[in-house]
Every structure is written in structure tokens, then in C-alpha cells.
Amino acid sequence: EAGVVQSPRYKIIEKKQPVAFWCNPISGHNTLYWYRQNLGQGPELLIRYENEEAVDDSQLPKDRFSAERLKGVDSTLKIQPAELGDSAVYLCASSLDFGPRVDYGYTFGSGTRLTVV
Amino acid sequence: QQPVQSPQAMILREGEDAVINCSSSKALYSVHWYRQKHGEAPVFLMILLKGGEQKGHDKISASFNEKKQQSSLYLTASQLSYSGTYFCGTESGSNYKLTFGKGTLLTVNP
């Protein structure tokens, strides 16, 4: 079974440029998460989807970040315009059920390492 | 509220045991444990739910002390493959949100 697939693996852009990340969760997983991980830190939740509905986007910087999950499957996270402080690894995760109390936890993708110069 | 992990880093010899702690200032509903190797995705180890249970598989186990609002991860007879950064993720409150600690970097040497 394929895991959570993310692309691109790496991205280097100049500040003020737009960037987009794509995530394909595990088939059948209704819940999808986008996390940001800064160097030496734990993942920080940006947004959580239940099917195609964003149920928690309280930590998404909405002035420059946007996300969508069309048809409740793939998801895209966009930053426009990017700032130097956005450099981080952007992780996508999925789980079978709603919320953290799931027997098999979250399955993470390998992430997209973004460098803004 | 971000949980506090301790220690921040530790170095072991192969075969030694380790304990990693995760504490919260709020009541916990669930605790997840993950291991992340450099440049890779975090990998789920186990989940503990409110109720003070202990879980384990192979030589890795964890406990959840509801009263102390903390969880501990136990690594027994460590192997080289145990090296990596261990994160706890805690759910406190009813918002179904998992918040991760800053991680504990474990290095196991031959």
C-alpha cells in the first residue's frame, strides 16, 4: 500500500514568489493534516480536513497561506507571497478517522523542504 | 499548549535502556509517540488513551499517567535502529487537536 505521497520533495524560491505543495493521502483516509516543521522543532498544525471540509484552520496564516482539498482526496497548500520565515518542512499526514484517538495514529508523508532565499 | 519533552537529547550504547518523558500542563485525552529519522517522515509508534494504560510492542513501551498529565516512552535494550528524534503529540481539551513537543534526539552508538 502506498503511503502518503507529497511533491515536490524540495523547493527553493525567492521571497515574494508563490509556491504550492501537493499531497495525496492514503486511500480511504478521511482526515488530512498539513503540518509545518521548523528545524529542530516538532510539527505544528496548519490545517485539518475532514473529507473536503477544513475543520480547523485556526493556525493557518490566512493572509498568505491557502489550502484546498477537492473531492476529499488530494490536497494543495499554497503560499503567496513567500517570506524568508516560511522556510521549513511542510508535512502532510492522513488518518482513517476523525481526531487524534485513532488506533493507528497519523501517517506522515516525507514532506516538502522549502527554502526561501 | 505544547507538551514538554525531556531530555532534549541523549546518547546510548547499544543494549542500554532509555526513558523519554512528555509532560503537559493540561489534562490529556490521548498521547501519540512518533520516531523521525533525519530527512524522513515521522513514523507512528503508539497511542495511549485517557485511562492510565500502558502499551508496548517488542522492546518499546509507553505509559500514560493521567493524574500527572504525563507520558513516558521506554526503550529497552536499544538497537542502532532506535536512533532518531522522538516526538510526543498530546491531545488536551476537546478540540481533537494534536500538539507536538520539541522532540528528544536519541543517538545509539555501537
Side-chain angles (χ1 to χ4, degrees), chain A residues 46-113:
Chain A
L46 292 174
I47 189 169
R48 182 181 87 214
Y49 281 93
E50 295 298 332
N51 297 307
E52 64 273 9
E53 182 183 359
V55 296
D56 184 358
D57 63 355
S58 57
Q59 293 188 241
L60 189 72
K62 298 181 184 64
D63 57 335
R64 298 184 299 108
F65 286 64
S66 64
E68 61 181 7
R69 189 183 185 196
L70 300 177
K71 301 181 181 179
V73 182
D74 294 1
S75 179
T76 302
L77 178 69
K78 298 179 181 178
I79 308 175
Q80 182 170 12
E83 298 179 351
L84 295 177
D86 295 332
S87 295
V89 175
Y90 290 82
L91 294 165
C92 178
S94 68
S95 65
L96 188 60
D97 290 319
F98 171 78
R101 300 169 214 175
V102 287
D103 287 344
Y104 299 102
Y106 299 172
T107 303
F108 283 86
S110 296
T112 297
R113 182 176 295 276

Side-chain angles (χ1 to χ4, degrees), chain B residues 2-70:
Chain B
Q2 186 176 41
V4 177
Q5 288 187 234
S6 62
Q8 290 184 325
M10 58 194 312
I11 300 174
L12 300 177
R13 292 274 186 204
E14 201 172 5
E16 292 182 334
D17 299 341
V19 180
I20 299 172
N21 298 305
C22 174
S23 298
S24 174
S25 59
K26 292 188 174 182
L28 297 176
Y29 286 78
S30 67
V31 180
H32 290 214
W33 285 97
Y34 292 80
R35 176 172 61 212
Q36 185 178 31
K37 294 183 181 286
H38 184 69
E40 299 182 10
V43 174
F44 175 71
L45 296 175
M46 63 187 75
I47 179 174
L48 299 103
L49 300 177
K50 183 178 179 180
E53 65 179 276
Q54 183 152 348
K55 274 192 174 179
H57 53 82
D58 280 340
K59 298 174 183 177
I60 300 176
S61 62
S63 63
F64 182 11
N65 188 320
E66 189 180 335
K67 289 183 179 179
K68 293 186 177 180
Q69 297 165 183
Q70 68 182 33

